[in-house]
Amino acid sequence: MGGDGQVTLGDSIVKADAVKVRRLHKDKVLAGFAGSAADAFALLDRFEGKLEEFKGNTRRAAIELAKDWRTDRVLRRLESLLAVADSETSLIIGGNGDVIEPSDGIIAIGSGGTCALAATRALLQHTSLSAQQIVEAGLAIAGEINVYANDRITVFSL
């Protein structure tokens, strides 16, 4: 899982080297975020709590977080998306109760997400690059195309 480093406020870049990917639950789960950083950190904390509660079951933790996020009056106002993955599951979690598992296992969120997704799918189909190389290249391509993404990339593997 990887993320670029760009943080914007309106049309201004306020940070270029943010780390938007985290290791959770004994380094067995990866989580990334897009959207409001403060909201994302609150959601990551909640998700980590759900992982502990459900003994590392990523899918169950994601579903329970999505339920809380949709029904809790305070959480409902949080504007962020989470991408989470373990060795078997890749999910996107959203505030409308969404828990999406893409059929090809490739998840992408944020303003550069569609660019990274397209590049990653093409690289996966037409190269023999490793998973880490594909993530890095896909994010680099997104950083070249999308003004809200950059090339300061962080990649974590399980």
Side-chain angles (χ1 to χ4, degrees):
M1 181 178 291
D4 73 336
Q6 187 150 297
V7 177
T8 56
L9 187 58
D11 61 359
S12 298
I13 299 167
V14 294
K15 185 170 178 68
D17 60 352
V19 178
K20 300 178 187 176
V21 180
R22 304 278 187 269
R23 291 182 184 278
L24 304 175
H25 193 70
K26 303 171 190 168
D27 293 342
K28 293 183 180 179
V29 178
L30 299 176
F33 67 88
S36 168
D39 292 355
F41 292 138
L43 291 165
L44 286 170
D45 286 345
R46 288 249 183 174
F47 180 67
E48 192 162 28
K50 296 291 184 186
L51 281 170
E52 294 301 319
E53 182 179 348
F54 296 107
K55 298 175 179 56
N57 184 327
T58 302
R59 184 181 312 278
R60 179 77 189 274
I63 290 167
E64 294 303 321
L65 174 65
K67 284 183 196 176
D68 290 352
W69 194 351
R70 183 173 186 190
T71 58
D72 184 275
R73 191 183 308 185
V74 174
L75 289 180
R76 246 189 319 221
R77 295 188 182 131
L78 300 183
E79 295 186 18
S80 191
L81 284 173
L82 297 182
V84 300
D86 61 22
S87 61
E88 298 174 10
T89 308
S90 299
L91 303 168
I92 298 170
I93 309 170
N96 292 325
D98 302 319
V99 178
I100 302 165
E101 182 174 18
S103 38
D104 61 7
I106 301 171
I107 51 179
I109 58 175
S111 55
T114 54
C115 298
L117 179 63
T120 300
R121 284 185 174 161
L123 289 164
L124 187 62
Q125 291 176 15
H126 300 288
T127 69
S128 59
L129 296 172
S130 70
Q132 181 162 337
Q133 290 171 318
I134 289 172
V135 170
E136 289 170 351
L139 286 168
I141 291 167
E144 293 171 0
I145 296 170
N146 188 286
V147 298
Y148 294 104
N150 71 10
D151 61 357
R152 303 233 182 126
I153 296 165
T154 302
V155 178
F156 291 143
S157 299
L158 292 175

